[in-house]
Amino acid sequence: MPEGDTILRTARTLDAALSGKMVRRFETVLPKLARVDDETPIAGRTIERVSAVGKHLLIGFSGALHLRTHMRMNGSWHIYRPGERWQRRREDMRIVIATDDYVAVAFNVPVAEFLDDRALERQQDLRQLGPDVLSSSFDAGEAIRRLRSRTGIEIANALLDQRAIAGIGNIWKSETLFACRINPFVNVESLSDDQIRCLIDKARKLLGRSATATTPNDLSVYSRTGKPCRRCRTPIVSRKQGFEARLTYWCPECQRGVG
């Protein structure tokens, strides 16, 4: 699943290409997007802004209209020049937004909806989001409070709860816990305030660095099962965790504790 850093990079790329441009063609295979409430076509509207909120991507159009998409596990947005060959199959296309200069294509996006200003404010998934770890207005105190309220929950699962803190996914969950030397399987209430603050600070730094990186990230534990820890040379281990059985990676020496 794309994490907050990937969504932010995507939003920045789309915003640079599309913001201020008029939509010349809008195409979709999703019945929910076939019409908008005010019956004004998407073609002819101006794209005002593309932004990221946690793992959600928002495209704002003139006429107080917004397109919200969520990538889930396999969705992605691509940007092409007109006539350029797509890197994905035509049957994977869900949305096309074409301007004179660029064509933005959403592939395999499972969640997409049009919202006006009022509906955007009321949208439940967005309203329930915790502080966005990549937002310039990030509220660390609120993030601490929300994480602290997840009593009885293993810290790795709490970090994935977008209602506690938004933007962290499976990669940065494992990497953040390793950076703070915290075992993924200890419950939230067993952690000190300093440990909670470490997790929040490290998550912000790791995702922020990744959001602007031009080369692949040099990961410490994620997807490195059996390879030596970069700190102590102990083999990295992994295990399924949580309701969705997401793989967690950690160093059993550097991250000692319950589990």
Side-chain angles (χ1 to χ4, degrees):
M1 179 185 293
E3 304 192 25
D5 55 326
T6 301
I7 302 302
L8 181 58
R9 282 199 305 272
T10 299
R12 286 172 174 169
T13 299
L14 291 176
D15 188 67
L18 303 178
S19 185
K21 305 293 179 62
M22 181 179 291
V23 179
R24 297 301 184 186
R25 176 170 60 92
F26 178 81
E27 182 181 349
T28 183
V29 298
L30 303 175
K32 194 173 184 179
L33 302 183
R35 59 180 294 276
V36 295
D37 289 342
D38 66 5
E39 301 294 342
T40 303
I42 303 303
R45 295 180 188 247
T46 299
I47 301 164
E48 296 182 340
R49 185 187 179 199
V50 184
S51 58
V53 181
K55 297 182 181 181
H56 303 258
L57 190 140
L58 302 176
I59 301 177
F61 299 90
S62 57
L65 185 68
H66 310 269
L67 174 62
R68 179 184 76 93
T69 60
H70 195 295
M71 307 302 132
R72 292 288 190 258
M73 293 301 294
N74 299 311
S76 62
W77 278 93
H78 290 199
I79 193 81
Y80 300 99
R81 289 289 187 177
E84 185 179 358
R85 184 176 179 179
W86 294 357
Q87 296 177 5
R88 300 286 295 272
R89 302 178 305 170
R90 175 76 188 187
E91 50 264 42
D92 293 334
M93 181 275 286
R94 300 295 180 266
I95 305 167
V96 174
I97 301 172
T99 68
D100 287 334
D101 301 314
Y102 291 99
V103 179
V105 187
F107 294 103
N108 292 323
V109 171
V111 178
E113 62 177 341
F114 282 124
L115 303 165
D116 60 22
D117 285 347
R118 187 175 178 185
L120 184 66
E121 291 179 0
R122 296 195 310 251
Q123 212 285 328
Q124 282 297 103
D125 289 341
L126 296 174
R127 283 173 59 88
Q128 293 175 358
L129 283 178
D132 184 347
V133 71
L134 289 173
S135 172
S136 59
S137 59
F138 179 77
D139 187 339
E142 178 63 10
I144 291 172
R145 186 193 70 79
R146 291 190 181 215
L147 280 173
R148 276 278 180 228
S149 71
R150 268 61 183 173
T151 56
I153 297 177
E154 294 172 343
I155 184 58
N157 294 330
L159 290 175
L160 291 179
D161 186 346
Q162 300 301 295
R163 296 166 299 177
I165 183 169
I168 300 174
N170 213 42
I171 295 174
W172 298 116
K173 168 201 77 177
S174 292
E175 293 295 308
T176 297
L177 287 162
F178 175 78
C180 293
R181 296 178 179 250
I182 294 173
N183 187 277
F185 302 94
V186 299
N187 285 351
V188 171
E189 62 268 26
S190 69
L191 300 178
S192 68
D193 289 344
D194 286 344
Q195 287 175 311
I196 294 289
R197 277 191 289 269
C198 177
L199 290 171
I200 291 172
D201 291 344
K202 288 294 185 181
R204 294 203 74 201
K205 288 177 182 177
L206 289 171
L207 271 83
R209 187 183 305 146
S210 177
T212 58
T214 56
T215 57
N217 294 289
D218 188 15
L219 300 175
S220 296
V221 292
Y222 185 81
S223 198
R224 297 190 67 241
T225 304
K227 295 181 180 178
C229 172
R230 301 190 193 281
R231 282 194 190 126
C232 70
R233 311 305 292 173
T234 300
I236 299 300
V237 294
S238 60
R239 190 174 101 191
K240 291 181 179 179
Q241 183 178 15
F243 178 75
E244 295 182 342
R246 306 287 297 279
L247 271 177
T248 293
Y249 300 84
W250 78 103
C251 171
E253 178 61 30
C254 294
Q255 297 168 265
R256 290 188 178 190
V258 177

